[in-house]
Amino acid sequence: MLTVEEAVEQILSRVEPLPTEWVDLEAALGRVLGEPVVSGRQVPPWPNSSMDGYALRSEDARAANASLRVVLQVAAGAAPSRAIGPGEAARIFTGAAMPPGADAVIPQEDVQVDGDQIVAARPVRAGDFVRAAGEDVRVGDAVLERGRPIGPPEIGMLATLGYSRVRVHRRPRVAILSTGDELAELGREPSPGQIPNSNTYALMAQVRETGADPVNLGVAPDRREAIETRLGWGRSADVLLSSAGVSVGEFDFVKDALARLGATLHLWRVSMRPGKPIAFGSLGGRPVFGLPGNPVSAMVTFELFVRPALRKMAGHTRLTRPTVLARALSPIPNPGARRGFLRVTVTPDDGGYGVRLTGDQGSSILKSMVLADGLAIVAPDTTIEPGGAVEVILLR
Ligand code: AMP
Ligand code: MG
């Protein structure tokens, strides 16, 4: 059986970033830059005042109490109408362009005004309260790299550089199929022997949270042809995702259906708990994942295998969640021969993190997933005793 690392490596080696497209800057939040941004502008474009005050020549006011004559006013948005000469000053406002000749600003709080005469109460040095042209960005600066997720600061930077549209990677479209005769669709009262289909909705939410777009293929009964038909509907998606029907149970037809559609299976079964039966293959160049049916197994295998693949396709360079080394606050046992990914609460404590199991770790126990904000990684047949160190994947 493969280790989690081996499986992740195999999966990532078979997926590539999707092509890029142009989107309006207003729609770019959460997308990933498809090309580097090299500035064609300097920011700020010209020297300007960082205060409301008076622009002057610093050499005229090296000592306190220099007297100057105000010959000009420059408001934000206006171009200075003339230069400043010796003994002259310009009334200026925050963000207004420095008039030629002036090399410093004295804030209005430090000035006494008498008609068109001002007295600078304190000495002035060249550059005081002036934002130099290009102090933020120079022409030719490599400002943002390809693969950078676009957040609010990136949006602000792109706007200031004049980008009304931006080239980003396409968002992966992920078709999701649930399989099982026991599944009742949302909105239908489960008949005896049935349970609600929850995986479709949890997985769609995980897909969305990853920055991809889910397509719901509904529920297929445990019949190979039905699974085949519905998986076929997902052929226009970038990724196919199914849950359940991939173990060795008599009714586990997902692998068969995939094979009949022409998919190649690359791996099946990974040494982990929860999880284990996870199938990964490709169908017409598209990645296909067969996740286990138990709700927590489906979500955890999505986290470990599908999420990094979707992030790579979306153009990200950081593919995995952050992990921290934390301290166990109560025993964290992992009996059995597979590595455990155990649901824990993560709380800040003494400059680090403390973790505690959220309850029953059964792979169908969704409540302990709801309570969890991390997955503690525990070696096979090992118990982390209170105070012991444990690596934790931060989920939230
Ligand atoms: P299987 O992999 O088909 O053996 O399913 C394993 C367990 O997961 C069974 O208890 C199923 O009832 C349950 N299960 C499978 N699919 C879903 C689903 N879509 N929603 C909730 N539970 C499911
Ligand atoms: Mg089943």
Side-chain angles (χ1 to χ4, degrees), residues 298-320:
M299 292 191 76
V300 171
T301 49
F302 180 97
E303 265 299 325
L304 296 181
F305 305 112
V306 185
R307 187 175 182 276
L310 294 183
R311 281 180 67 88
K312 183 169 180 188
M313 295 175 80
H316 285 280
T317 50
R318 228 202 58 206
L319 305 182
T320 53

Side-chain angles (χ1 to χ4, degrees), residues 6 17 37 61 80 89 122 124 131-132 159 176 207 237 245 306 318 322 328 337:
E6 287 164 345
V37 171
R122 58 174 197 78
V124 173
R131 302 162 177 160
I176 298 172
V207 165
V306 185
R318 228 202 58 206

Side-chain angles (χ1 to χ4, degrees), residues 83 144 198 239:
L144 301 170
S198 65
V239 177

Side-chain angles (χ1 to χ4, degrees), residues 16 69 194 371:
E16 290 302 328
R69 195 162 64 87
Q194 284 196 316
L371 295 173

Side-chain angles (χ1 to χ4, degrees), residues 31-387:
R31 305 294 292 267
V32 181
L33 263 184
E35 62 184 8
V37 171
V38 177
S39 178
R41 292 181 173 179
Q42 59 177 0
V43 184
W46 16 257
N48 69 93
S49 177
S50 68
M51 294 291 274
D52 293 336
Y54 294 85
L56 44 73
R57 293 154 27 108
S58 57
E59 63 191 273
D60 292 346
R62 286 226 172 87
N65 298 317
S67 186
L68 298 127
R69 195 162 64 87
V70 179
V71 298
L72 174 69
Q73 171 163 311
V74 199
S81 58
R82 53 161 282 194
I84 291 295
E88 294 180 343
R91 180 74 171 119
I92 198 164
F93 300 94
T94 305
M98 292 291 286
D103 68 350
V105 169
I106 183 161
Q108 62 192 35
E109 303 83 279
D110 297 334
V111 168
Q112 284 112 47
V113 184
D114 180 10
D116 66 355
Q117 288 297 127
I118 59 165
V119 174
R122 58 174 197 78
V124 173
R125 279 165 308 141
D128 281 359
F129 302 103
V130 176
R131 302 162 177 160
E135 73 173 20
D136 187 357
V137 181
R138 282 161 308 177
V139 175
D141 277 357
V143 184
L144 301 170
E145 70 286 1
R146 179 194 181 123
R148 173 180 280 261
I150 299 177
E154 286 76 19
I155 300 254
M157 176 59 79
L158 288 160
T160 218
L161 297 179
Y163 284 75
S164 57
R165 297 195 309 153
V166 59
R167 194 176 261 294
V168 295
H169 287 278
R170 208 156 63 58
R171 288 161 71 96
R173 274 163 49 88
V174 184
I176 298 172
L177 176 69
S178 280
T179 67
D181 284 340
E182 75 279 32
L183 300 177
E185 241 331 344
L186 209 58
R188 290 241 175 105
E189 197 52 41
S191 45
Q194 284 196 316
I195 58 165
N197 165 23
S198 65
N199 287 355
T200 292
Y201 302 96
L203 289 169
M204 289 211 298
Q206 286 184 296
V207 165
R208 281 212 178 87
E209 203 186 50
T210 308
D213 296 318
V215 179
N216 185 357
L217 298 180
V219 173
D222 286 314
R223 279 191 297 110
R224 201 202 56 227
E225 309 79 59
I227 297 171
E228 213 178 303
T229 304
R230 285 190 183 248
L231 282 175
W233 296 348
R235 271 177 182 272
S236 66
D238 300 302
V239 177
L240 280 175
L241 203 58
S242 73
S243 70
V246 281
S247 58
V248 288
E250 208 175 324
F251 296 104
D252 293 341
F253 294 121
V254 169
K255 279 191 290 149
D256 285 356
L258 283 169
R260 303 233 344 167
L261 285 168
T264 316
L265 190 67
H266 303 305
L267 65 93
W268 177 54
R269 301 215 290 174
V270 177
S271 178
M272 61 180 291
R273 188 175 72 96
K276 186 161 122 181
I278 166 207
F280 170 71
S282 33
L283 176 59
R286 262 177 269 98
V288 182
F289 293 88
L291 303 184
N294 275 307
V296 175
S297 306
M299 292 191 76
V300 171
T301 49
F302 180 97
E303 265 299 325
L304 296 181
F305 305 112
V306 185
R307 187 175 182 276
L310 294 183
R311 281 180 67 88
K312 183 169 180 188
M313 295 175 80
H316 285 280
T317 50
R318 228 202 58 206
L319 305 182
T320 53
R321 300 257 194 202
T323 62
V324 293
L325 205 57
R327 231 162 34 83
L329 299 175
S330 56
I332 306 182
N334 179 35
R338 288 177 279 150
R339 194 191 301 171
F341 292 82
L342 306 176
R343 285 147 263 168
V344 291
T345 55
V346 184
T347 42
D349 110 357
D350 310 332
Y353 293 98
V355 295
R356 196 186 292 279
L357 285 183
T358 54
D360 188 338
Q361 297 289 311
S363 54
S364 62
I365 305 292
L366 262 180
K367 190 171 63 195
S368 54
M369 191 70 187
V370 169
L371 295 173
D373 30 41
L375 295 173
I377 308 175
V378 183
D381 291 314
T382 302
T383 296
I384 311 286
E385 297 297 346

